[in-house]
Amino acid sequence: MALTPSTMLPLGEVLPAFQLPVVSGSLRDGTDAATLSNSELPAQPLLVMQICAHCPFVKHVEPELSRLAEDYGPAVTLLAVSSNSLTTHPQDGPEGLRHQAKQQQWRFPYLLDEQQNLAKALKGACTPEFYLFSPDEAGLQTLRYRGQLDGSRPGNEVPLDGRDLRRAVDAVLNDQPVNQEQQPSVGCNIKWHPGQEPPWFGAPA
């Protein structure tokens, strides 16, 4: 495990196109689908959560992810995405993700980014990492917030309350500007396929 910060994708970036397998959960209509694409998402704020099953930093924030789903689920689309290499970390495969979702009673879609294309398009670096998008005037999902959930980390005694992300979500839902001073998330590095690491992997923080 390497302690890794977010690369902080530039604000205003458009949500990358994707079509990925759904290993657990569904959109609010409750219909099960084998895959989910960006074109199927509702025209409302979107929270992409880069997580996985085994990471201790993800396990630390699992309760707050459940609270976010409960508090914002009707107004915000939540998507969990796991991009870890199944070659090196098979515990983050479909069975492991489904077990995690069942334990936490998550109903939002959990996607498997096995080819790591979405993680690379988002310049993902660590788990957990959060990206809040919202439709702009042209209807394009544009990035409003990226970085940490809050300042809580395993063992640092800071309350796990999601305050940073919640402020951003509340601002978007109230049609207010999001504070541009945003702190990177910190966690385990995404487990890239050996020999296919992106240029920012291992770069100085």
Side-chain angles (χ1 to χ4, degrees):
M1 178 185 77
L3 192 62
T4 303
S6 307
T7 61
M8 303 300 275
L9 183 70
L11 296 173
E13 289 285 305
V14 175
L15 176 70
F18 65 84
Q19 182 165 0
L20 295 173
V22 180
V23 298
S24 176
S26 64
L27 293 177
R28 282 196 311 278
D29 61 12
T31 58
D32 292 328
T35 64
L36 182 65
S37 73
N38 60 294
S39 63
E40 298 173 84
L41 298 174
Q44 64 180 38
L46 167 70
L47 177 60
V48 178
M49 304 176 289
Q50 185 81 56
I51 61 174
C52 65
H54 88 277
C55 171
F57 287 84
V58 173
K59 291 185 179 299
H60 177 71
V61 303
E62 285 174 343
E64 179 61 15
L65 302 191
S66 299
R67 291 190 288 267
L68 287 170
E70 183 69 24
D71 293 343
Y72 293 109
V76 178
T77 301
L78 276 70
L79 289 183
V81 182
S82 180
S83 302
N84 279 351
S85 172
L86 303 190
T87 302
T88 61
H89 288 73
Q91 63 267 48
D92 289 329
E95 185 176 344
L97 303 183
R98 278 193 288 267
H99 178 71
Q100 177 190 23
K102 183 176 181 180
Q103 279 193 319
Q104 302 302 319
Q105 298 183 321
W106 292 341
R107 295 185 296 274
F108 48 76
Y110 205 153
L111 309 183
L112 182 63
D113 180 27
E114 191 169 358
Q115 303 305 314
Q116 305 186 322
N117 292 328
L118 181 56
K120 289 181 177 179
L122 292 171
K123 288 190 168 16
C126 60
T127 54
E129 195 162 5
F130 301 90
Y131 304 84
L132 176 64
F133 294 86
S134 185
D136 63 11
E137 293 178 356
L140 296 174
Q141 289 278 11
T142 55
L143 186 64
R144 310 302 174 92
Y145 177 89
R146 75 283 192 250
Q148 69 176 12
L149 181 67
D150 54 36
S152 185
R153 308 285 185 262
N156 74 355
E157 306 303 325
V158 174
L160 177 66
D161 56 16
R163 65 180 64 187
D164 293 58
L165 181 56
R166 284 175 177 270
R167 285 180 188 139
V169 174
D170 289 340
V172 165
L173 290 176
N174 288 288
D175 201 24
Q176 297 174 347
V178 177
N179 189 337
Q180 304 286 288
E181 295 184 13
Q182 302 173 8
Q183 300 301 311
S185 187
V186 175
C188 302
N189 63 288
I190 291 176
K191 305 306 187 284
W192 303 105
H193 296 309
Q196 299 180 34
E197 298 86 356
W200 58 89
F201 175 69

mmCIF file of all heavy atoms in Angstrom, residues 65-92:
data_model
loop_
_atom_site.group_PDB
_atom_site.id
_atom_site.type_symbol
_atom_site.label_atom_id
_atom_site.label_comp_id
_atom_site.label_asym_id
_atom_site.label_seq_id
_atom_site.Cartn_x
_atom_site.Cartn_y
_atom_site.Cartn_z
ATOM 1 N N LEU A 65 -20.587 6.876 3.618
ATOM 2 C CA LEU A 65 -21.137 6.661 2.271
ATOM 3 C C LEU A 65 -22.597 6.220 2.372
ATOM 4 O O LEU A 65 -23.437 6.649 1.574
ATOM 5 C CB LEU A 65 -20.315 5.621 1.513
ATOM 6 C CG LEU A 65 -18.826 5.906 1.335
ATOM 7 C CD1 LEU A 65 -18.217 4.937 0.335
ATOM 8 C CD2 LEU A 65 -18.565 7.341 0.936
ATOM 9 N N SER A 66 -22.887 5.397 3.348
ATOM 10 C CA SER A 66 -24.273 4.979 3.566
ATOM 11 C C SER A 66 -25.145 6.165 3.955
ATOM 12 O O SER A 66 -26.280 6.297 3.482
ATOM 13 C CB SER A 66 -24.337 3.903 4.646
ATOM 14 O OG SER A 66 -23.598 2.749 4.281
ATOM 15 N N ARG A 67 -24.620 7.041 4.797
ATOM 16 C CA ARG A 67 -25.383 8.227 5.197
ATOM 17 C C ARG A 67 -25.590 9.182 4.022
ATOM 18 O O ARG A 67 -26.667 9.778 3.870
ATOM 19 C CB ARG A 67 -24.676 8.940 6.359
ATOM 20 C CG ARG A 67 -24.706 8.156 7.668
ATOM 21 C CD ARG A 67 -24.218 8.977 8.839
ATOM 22 N NE ARG A 67 -22.777 9.212 8.821
ATOM 23 C CZ ARG A 67 -21.884 8.436 9.446
ATOM 24 N NH1 ARG A 67 -22.282 7.362 10.118
ATOM 25 N NH2 ARG A 67 -20.599 8.736 9.409
ATOM 26 N N LEU A 68 -24.582 9.325 3.171
ATOM 27 C CA LEU A 68 -24.735 10.165 1.976
ATOM 28 C C LEU A 68 -25.849 9.641 1.082
ATOM 29 O O LEU A 68 -26.664 10.407 0.566
ATOM 30 C CB LEU A 68 -23.417 10.209 1.197
ATOM 31 C CG LEU A 68 -22.284 11.033 1.780
ATOM 32 C CD1 LEU A 68 -20.996 10.759 1.011
ATOM 33 C CD2 LEU A 68 -22.610 12.520 1.741
ATOM 34 N N ALA A 69 -25.875 8.322 0.902
ATOM 35 C CA ALA A 69 -26.917 7.723 0.067
ATOM 36 C C ALA A 69 -28.297 7.975 0.663
ATOM 37 O O ALA A 69 -29.258 8.265 -0.059
ATOM 38 C CB ALA A 69 -26.658 6.232 -0.099
ATOM 39 N N GLU A 70 -28.387 7.884 1.971
ATOM 40 C CA GLU A 70 -29.669 8.097 2.646
ATOM 41 C C GLU A 70 -30.099 9.558 2.566
ATOM 42 O O GLU A 70 -31.273 9.864 2.337
ATOM 43 C CB GLU A 70 -29.546 7.668 4.108
ATOM 44 C CG GLU A 70 -30.839 7.768 4.904
ATOM 45 C CD GLU A 70 -31.878 6.752 4.473
ATOM 46 O OE1 GLU A 70 -31.499 5.701 3.911
ATOM 47 O OE2 GLU A 70 -33.078 7.008 4.706
ATOM 48 N N ASP A 71 -29.151 10.473 2.717
ATOM 49 C CA ASP A 71 -29.482 11.893 2.789
ATOM 50 C C ASP A 71 -29.685 12.538 1.421
ATOM 51 O O ASP A 71 -30.497 13.458 1.284
ATOM 52 C CB ASP A 71 -28.374 12.646 3.534
ATOM 53 C CG ASP A 71 -28.290 12.255 5.003
ATOM 54 O OD1 ASP A 71 -29.262 11.669 5.519
ATOM 55 O OD2 ASP A 71 -27.248 12.538 5.630
ATOM 56 N N TYR A 72 -28.923 12.074 0.423
ATOM 57 C CA TYR A 72 -28.947 12.757 -0.870
ATOM 58 C C TYR A 72 -29.477 11.891 -2.016
ATOM 59 O O TYR A 72 -29.658 12.402 -3.132
ATOM 60 C CB TYR A 72 -27.541 13.226 -1.240
ATOM 61 C CG TYR A 72 -27.005 14.307 -0.332
ATOM 62 C CD1 TYR A 72 -25.980 14.033 0.569
ATOM 63 C CD2 TYR A 72 -27.514 15.593 -0.377
ATOM 64 C CE1 TYR A 72 -25.470 15.026 1.403
ATOM 65 C CE2 TYR A 72 -27.015 16.595 0.450
ATOM 66 C CZ TYR A 72 -26.003 16.305 1.334
ATOM 67 O OH TYR A 72 -25.503 17.294 2.160
ATOM 68 N N GLY A 73 -29.713 10.611 -1.739
ATOM 69 C CA GLY A 73 -30.103 9.699 -2.806
ATOM 70 C C GLY A 73 -31.221 10.183 -3.716
ATOM 71 O O GLY A 73 -31.126 10.050 -4.935
ATOM 72 N N PRO A 74 -32.294 10.778 -3.186
ATOM 73 C CA PRO A 74 -33.373 11.212 -4.076
ATOM 74 C C PRO A 74 -32.968 12.314 -5.048
ATOM 75 O O PRO A 74 -33.517 12.408 -6.142
ATOM 76 C CB PRO A 74 -34.449 11.719 -3.102
ATOM 77 C CG PRO A 74 -34.148 11.038 -1.817
ATOM 78 C CD PRO A 74 -32.654 10.920 -1.771
ATOM 79 N N ALA A 75 -32.012 13.156 -4.654
ATOM 80 C CA ALA A 75 -31.673 14.330 -5.469
ATOM 81 C C ALA A 75 -30.361 14.189 -6.223
ATOM 82 O O ALA A 75 -30.106 14.946 -7.159
ATOM 83 C CB ALA A 75 -31.596 15.568 -4.573
ATOM 84 N N VAL A 76 -29.529 13.259 -5.807
ATOM 85 C CA VAL A 76 -28.205 13.077 -6.396
ATOM 86 C C VAL A 76 -28.046 11.613 -6.798
ATOM 87 O O VAL A 76 -28.400 10.710 -6.043
ATOM 88 C CB VAL A 76 -27.097 13.455 -5.384
ATOM 89 C CG1 VAL A 76 -25.716 13.223 -5.978
ATOM 90 C CG2 VAL A 76 -27.248 14.909 -4.940
ATOM 91 N N THR A 77 -27.508 11.390 -7.994
ATOM 92 C CA THR A 77 -27.184 10.031 -8.424
ATOM 93 C C THR A 77 -25.835 9.639 -7.841
ATOM 94 O O THR A 77 -24.843 10.341 -8.047
ATOM 95 C CB THR A 77 -27.116 9.939 -9.960
ATOM 96 O OG1 THR A 77 -28.370 10.335 -10.515
ATOM 97 C CG2 THR A 77 -26.787 8.522 -10.401
ATOM 98 N N LEU A 78 -25.801 8.541 -7.093
ATOM 99 C CA LEU A 78 -24.545 8.031 -6.549
ATOM 100 C C LEU A 78 -24.088 6.832 -7.360
ATOM 101 O O LEU A 78 -24.888 5.930 -7.650
ATOM 102 C CB LEU A 78 -24.715 7.613 -5.082
ATOM 103 C CG LEU A 78 -24.592 8.718 -4.024
ATOM 104 C CD1 LEU A 78 -25.789 9.664 -4.077
ATOM 105 C CD2 LEU A 78 -24.450 8.108 -2.633
ATOM 106 N N LEU A 79 -22.813 6.843 -7.717
ATOM 107 C CA LEU A 79 -22.200 5.712 -8.408
ATOM 108 C C LEU A 79 -20.911 5.342 -7.693
ATOM 109 O O LEU A 79 -20.051 6.203 -7.485
ATOM 110 C CB LEU A 79 -21.838 6.067 -9.857
ATOM 111 C CG LEU A 79 -22.929 6.257 -10.897
ATOM 112 C CD1 LEU A 79 -22.279 6.521 -12.254
ATOM 113 C CD2 LEU A 79 -23.825 5.033 -10.968
ATOM 114 N N ALA A 80 -20.773 4.091 -7.325
ATOM 115 C CA ALA A 80 -19.498 3.587 -6.826
ATOM 116 C C ALA A 80 -18.784 2.895 -7.981
ATOM 117 O O ALA A 80 -19.411 2.232 -8.805
ATOM 118 C CB ALA A 80 -19.725 2.600 -5.680
ATOM 119 N N VAL A 81 -17.475 3.081 -8.044
ATOM 120 C CA VAL A 81 -16.670 2.472 -9.105
ATOM 121 C C VAL A 81 -15.426 1.868 -8.478
ATOM 122 O O VAL A 81 -14.727 2.536 -7.701
ATOM 123 C CB VAL A 81 -16.248 3.513 -10.165
ATOM 124 C CG1 VAL A 81 -15.454 2.834 -11.279
ATOM 125 C CG2 VAL A 81 -17.451 4.236 -10.743
ATOM 126 N N SER A 82 -15.140 0.615 -8.805
ATOM 127 C CA SER A 82 -13.890 -0.015 -8.397
ATOM 128 C C SER A 82 -13.060 -0.271 -9.647
ATOM 129 O O SER A 82 -13.531 -0.880 -10.606
ATOM 130 C CB SER A 82 -14.141 -1.330 -7.664
ATOM 131 O OG SER A 82 -12.905 -1.919 -7.284
ATOM 132 N N SER A 83 -11.808 0.221 -9.621
ATOM 133 C CA SER A 83 -10.926 0.118 -10.781
ATOM 134 C C SER A 83 -9.658 -0.679 -10.497
ATOM 135 O O SER A 83 -8.762 -0.735 -11.350
ATOM 136 C CB SER A 83 -10.532 1.527 -11.257
ATOM 137 O OG SER A 83 -11.658 2.297 -11.586
ATOM 138 N N ASN A 84 -9.544 -1.283 -9.327
ATOM 139 C CA ASN A 84 -8.318 -1.999 -8.990
ATOM 140 C C ASN A 84 -8.103 -3.200 -9.913
ATOM 141 O O ASN A 84 -9.056 -3.866 -10.335
ATOM 142 C CB ASN A 84 -8.355 -2.481 -7.543
ATOM 143 C CG ASN A 84 -7.984 -1.376 -6.567
ATOM 144 O OD1 ASN A 84 -7.539 -0.302 -6.959
ATOM 145 N ND2 ASN A 84 -8.173 -1.641 -5.284
ATOM 146 N N SER A 85 -6.847 -3.465 -10.191
ATOM 147 C CA SER A 85 -6.491 -4.611 -11.020
ATOM 148 C C SER A 85 -6.916 -5.914 -10.340
ATOM 149 O O SER A 85 -6.582 -6.161 -9.182
ATOM 150 C CB SER A 85 -4.977 -4.634 -11.252
ATOM 151 O OG SER A 85 -4.596 -5.838 -11.889
ATOM 152 N N LEU A 86 -7.644 -6.729 -11.074
ATOM 153 C CA LEU A 86 -8.038 -8.028 -10.523
ATOM 154 C C LEU A 86 -6.912 -9.041 -10.664
ATOM 155 O O LEU A 86 -6.964 -10.120 -10.065
ATOM 156 C CB LEU A 86 -9.302 -8.534 -11.214
ATOM 157 C CG LEU A 86 -10.509 -7.593 -11.139
ATOM 158 C CD1 LEU A 86 -11.763 -8.281 -11.643
ATOM 159 C CD2 LEU A 86 -10.719 -7.069 -9.722
ATOM 160 N N THR A 87 -5.896 -8.690 -11.419
ATOM 161 C CA THR A 87 -4.710 -9.539 -11.519
ATOM 162 C C THR A 87 -3.961 -9.544 -10.195
ATOM 163 O O THR A 87 -3.532 -10.591 -9.704
ATOM 164 C CB THR A 87 -3.781 -9.036 -12.641
ATOM 165 O OG1 THR A 87 -4.501 -9.026 -13.868
ATOM 166 C CG2 THR A 87 -2.552 -9.911 -12.768
ATOM 167 N N THR A 88 -3.823 -8.361 -9.610
ATOM 168 C CA THR A 88 -3.071 -8.243 -8.354
ATOM 169 C C THR A 88 -3.969 -8.267 -7.125
ATOM 170 O O THR A 88 -3.516 -8.617 -6.039
ATOM 171 C CB THR A 88 -2.259 -6.940 -8.341
ATOM 172 O OG1 THR A 88 -3.158 -5.823 -8.439
ATOM 173 C CG2 THR A 88 -1.277 -6.888 -9.515
ATOM 174 N N HIS A 89 -5.235 -7.892 -7.288
ATOM 175 C CA HIS A 89 -6.149 -7.800 -6.146
ATOM 176 C C HIS A 89 -7.509 -8.425 -6.493
ATOM 177 O O HIS A 89 -8.516 -7.728 -6.653
ATOM 178 C CB HIS A 89 -6.322 -6.338 -5.708
ATOM 179 C CG HIS A 89 -5.110 -5.790 -5.039
ATOM 180 N ND1 HIS A 89 -3.955 -5.479 -5.722
ATOM 181 C CD2 HIS A 89 -4.853 -5.530 -3.720
ATOM 182 C CE1 HIS A 89 -3.046 -5.039 -4.871
ATOM 183 N NE2 HIS A 89 -3.562 -5.061 -3.662
ATOM 184 N N PRO A 90 -7.548 -9.754 -6.617
ATOM 185 C CA PRO A 90 -8.801 -10.420 -6.973
ATOM 186 C C PRO A 90 -9.906 -10.225 -5.945
ATOM 187 O O PRO A 90 -11.083 -10.398 -6.253
ATOM 188 C CB PRO A 90 -8.407 -11.902 -7.092
ATOM 189 C CG PRO A 90 -7.129 -12.021 -6.299
ATOM 190 C CD PRO A 90 -6.431 -10.708 -6.464
ATOM 191 N N GLN A 91 -9.551 -9.829 -4.712
ATOM 192 C CA GLN A 91 -10.571 -9.587 -3.690
ATOM 193 C C GLN A 91 -11.447 -8.386 -4.040
ATOM 194 O O GLN A 91 -12.512 -8.195 -3.441
ATOM 195 C CB GLN A 91 -9.926 -9.393 -2.312
ATOM 196 C CG GLN A 91 -9.010 -8.181 -2.180
ATOM 197 C CD GLN A 91 -7.551 -8.492 -2.463
ATOM 198 O OE1 GLN A 91 -7.247 -9.129 -3.471
ATOM 199 N NE2 GLN A 91 -6.673 -8.052 -1.578
ATOM 200 N N ASP A 92 -11.031 -7.579 -5.003
ATOM 201 C CA ASP A 92 -11.842 -6.455 -5.457
ATOM 202 C C ASP A 92 -12.632 -6.797 -6.718
ATOM 203 O O ASP A 92 -13.090 -5.906 -7.445
ATOM 204 C CB ASP A 92 -10.955 -5.221 -5.704
ATOM 205 C CG ASP A 92 -10.443 -4.627 -4.403
ATOM 206 O OD1 ASP A 92 -11.150 -4.725 -3.391
ATOM 207 O OD2 ASP A 92 -9.334 -4.064 -4.395
#
